Amino acid sequence: MIGNLKPLEIVLIIAVILLLFGAKKLPDMARSLGKSARILKSEAKAMKKDDAEPAAPTTEAAADTAPQAAPARTIQAAPGDVSSARPVSEAKPTTQN
C-alpha cells in the first residue's frame, strides 16, 4: 500500500501532518521516536544474548564455581541523552494509607 503512493499524495500527507502537529513539535517527536527505537533495539539484542547463553551449566562447571550474584542490568542512555545509564528495577506495589 505504501509503495503505491504517488509523490503528490506523499506531499499532501506531509502537509496534513505539519498542520496537525506544527513545525516546532515534529523534531522533538522524531527525536523521541529515535530514542525509543534505539532502546528497543538494544533490549532485543540483550534478550537474544541472554537466550544464547546455556540454560543449565554442566555438573563440572557448577562444582568449580561458587554461586555468584547476577550483575544488575542497566539501560544504556541513547547518544545525545543527558541522563546516564540507570538500573532496571522491577515494579514494586505501593501501599496507600
Side-chain angles (χ1 to χ4, degrees):
M1 179 177 156
I2 293 177
N4 296 335
L5 292 178
K6 297 175 185 162
L8 182 60
E9 294 170 340
I10 294 172
V11 170
L12 182 63
I13 291 170
I14 292 172
V16 169
I17 291 172
L18 278 172
L19 287 173
L20 288 175
F21 296 107
K24 291 183 180 180
K25 288 195 175 193
L26 285 178
D28 293 333
M29 291 172 57
R31 194 173 301 118
S32 65
L33 182 65
K35 285 180 185 179
S36 300
R38 278 185 294 242
I39 291 172
L40 179 66
K41 184 178 177 182
S42 67
E43 287 296 318
K45 280 184 181 180
M47 289 176 71
K48 285 182 182 178
K49 183 179 172 184
D50 289 345
D51 289 342
E53 294 175 1
T58 61
T59 56
E60 294 174 359
D64 292 341
T65 60
Q68 298 176 354
R73 292 183 55 196
T74 59
I75 297 175
Q76 297 297 325
D81 194 4
V82 294
S83 63
S84 61
R86 52 200 178 275
V88 177
S89 61
E90 296 181 20
K92 296 179 182 176
T94 58
T95 58
Q96 296 178 350
N97 293 334

